[in-house]
Every structure is written in structure tokens, then in C-alpha cells.
């Protein structure tokens, strides 16, 4: 598709003999050739001579190696979605008086390094969530910015 061809030996469309057209489609028995002054016409392959190669096929977006700004933008969006999902689960657990997932607790200042103060830290987060002083969106933003500690300290005041 896209190759330049010249028709030769046509009897029913003699005006196309010697004229160059572009391959628009093809099947086993016919090749669809687009001419500038008329639409696509189906011709037998043996009546065509190749005069120019088709342009290189572009890979579909799904297969194209992504580099640069688009990749960075997509990575930021994925990080934002992941942060939002984690924070939404955390806030839901706080509202339901259930213990949040252990794997995510360290993100909110609760974890291995803080086990002795884990209950106090969770109580602060829970109080803030239940009183409407914080939202999952605010937590996600702090998580993405790397300012969770500052956000927690601000929430405590």
C-alpha cells in the first residue's frame, strides 16, 4: 500500500495506460490503484509495473518505542493514579475504623521505624480524616511531592 505503479495493456480503461497511480489496497486477484483524476480502480497485478517503493510503514502507537516528553508525562500520570489509589484506600480505612494495609503504612509515617508510635500516628490521621481536615487528594499530592512529613506536621497543629 502506497507504492507507485504504472498500468500497461489496459483495454477497458486505456486512458490509464502509462499513468502513475498509488496502490490503495490489494487482494489476491486485484490491486486497487488510486489515480489523481479518479477514484480507486481494481486492476490485475500482471498489468502493473512497480515504479516506486511504498513509504516505510509506521508502527502503531501501541508498538512504538516511547521516549521523551510523552513518556515522562505518562509516567507522571501513572504515579498520580497510583498515589491516589493508595491514599483513597488509606482514608477509607480510617473512616471505617479498620487497620490500613501494612505495605502502605510506611508512606504515611507508620511502619517499621515508627512502630512504637504507630497508634498515635494513626489516631492523628483518623481524627483529621473524620473531621474533614484532610482528603485523599491532599494526601496523594503530598505523597507525590515527597512532603508527607510536612503535611502530617501541619495536620497535627
Amino acid at each position: 500500500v502506497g507504492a507507485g505503479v504504472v498500468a500497461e495493456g489496459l483495454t477497458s480503461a486505456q486512458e490509464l495506460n502509462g499513468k502513475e497511480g498509488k496502490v490503495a489496497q490489494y487482494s489476491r486477484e486485484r490491486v486497487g490503484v488510486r489515480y489523481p483524476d479518479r477514484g480507486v480502480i481494481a486492476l490485475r497485478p500482471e498489468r502493473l509495473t512497480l515504479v516506486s517503493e511504498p513509504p516505510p510503514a509506521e508502527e502503531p502507537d501501541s508498538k512504538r518505542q516511547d521516549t521523551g516528553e510523552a513518556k515522562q508525562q505518562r509516567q507522571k500520570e501513572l504515579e498520580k493514579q497510583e498515589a491516589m489509589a493508595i491514599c483513597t484506600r488509606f482514608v477509607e480505612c480510617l473512616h471505617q475504623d479498620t487497620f490500613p494495609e501494612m505495605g502502605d503504612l510506611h508512606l504515611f509515617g507508620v511502619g517499621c521505624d515508627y512502630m512504637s508510635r504507630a497508634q498515635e500516628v494513626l489516631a492523628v490521621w483518623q481524627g483529621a480524616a473524620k473531621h474533614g481536615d484532610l482528603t485523599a487528594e491532599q494526601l496523594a499530592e503530598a505523597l507525590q511531592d515527597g512532603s508527607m512529613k510536612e503535611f502530617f506536621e501541619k495536620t497535627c497543629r
Side-chain angles (χ1 to χ4, degrees), residues 55-128:
E58 261 191 52
E59 289 182 359
D61 288 341
S62 61
K63 294 194 177 202
R64 189 174 298 141
Q65 181 67 20
D66 197 7
T67 57
E69 192 174 309
K71 184 176 184 178
Q72 290 175 342
Q73 188 68 22
R74 192 165 39 261
Q75 182 65 31
K76 281 184 179 182
E77 184 59 34
L78 287 173
E79 289 171 4
K80 182 179 179 180
Q81 289 174 1
E82 183 179 9
M84 191 62 199
I86 290 168
C87 293
T88 299
R89 281 194 313 267
F90 183 70
V91 170
E92 286 172 355
C93 287
L94 295 174
H95 281 287
Q96 297 169 0
D97 297 327
T98 58
F99 204 73
E101 295 176 26
M102 290 303 292
D104 296 337
L105 285 178
H106 70 281
L107 300 171
F108 304 100
V110 181
C112 299
D113 300 337
Y114 311 98
M115 272 309 192
S116 61
R117 308 224 46 151
Q119 293 301 320
E120 292 91 351
V121 172
L122 278 174
V124 170
W125 283 129
Q126 188 174 39

Side-chain angles (χ1 to χ4, degrees), residues 4-156:
V5 292
V6 172
E8 298 170 349
L10 300 178
T11 54
S12 62
Q14 293 179 358
E15 69 277 6
L16 298 177
N17 285 329
K19 289 193 175 181
E20 185 175 339
K22 296 283 183 190
V23 174
Q25 59 196 41
Y26 58 90
S27 67
R28 288 184 184 174
E29 298 173 9
R30 301 283 182 182
V31 176
V33 180
R34 181 180 317 276
Y35 288 94
D37 54 339
R38 83 190 268 180
V40 176
I41 185 168
L43 303 172
R44 290 188 189 144
E46 60 269 13
R47 301 278 186 208
L48 300 172
T49 303
L50 181 67
V51 293
S52 65
E53 293 290 327
E58 261 191 52
E59 289 182 359
D61 288 341
S62 61
K63 294 194 177 202
R64 189 174 298 141
Q65 181 67 20
D66 197 7
T67 57
E69 192 174 309
K71 184 176 184 178
Q72 290 175 342
Q73 188 68 22
R74 192 165 39 261
Q75 182 65 31
K76 281 184 179 182
E77 184 59 34
L78 287 173
E79 289 171 4
K80 182 179 179 180
Q81 289 174 1
E82 183 179 9
M84 191 62 199
I86 290 168
C87 293
T88 299
R89 281 194 313 267
F90 183 70
V91 170
E92 286 172 355
C93 287
L94 295 174
H95 281 287
Q96 297 169 0
D97 297 327
T98 58
F99 204 73
E101 295 176 26
M102 290 303 292
D104 296 337
L105 285 178
H106 70 281
L107 300 171
F108 304 100
V110 181
C112 299
D113 300 337
Y114 311 98
M115 272 309 192
S116 61
R117 308 224 46 151
Q119 293 301 320
E120 292 91 351
V121 172
L122 278 174
V124 170
W125 283 129
Q126 188 174 39
K130 287 190 173 189
H131 287 99
D133 295 335
L134 70 91
T135 63
E137 291 81 10
Q138 291 170 316
L139 278 173
E141 187 176 324
L143 188 59
Q144 275 190 284
D145 295 347
S147 61
M148 189 59 73
K149 181 179 179 182
E150 293 82 5
F151 185 73
F152 179 76
E153 289 171 355
K154 181 181 160 197
T155 303
C156 289

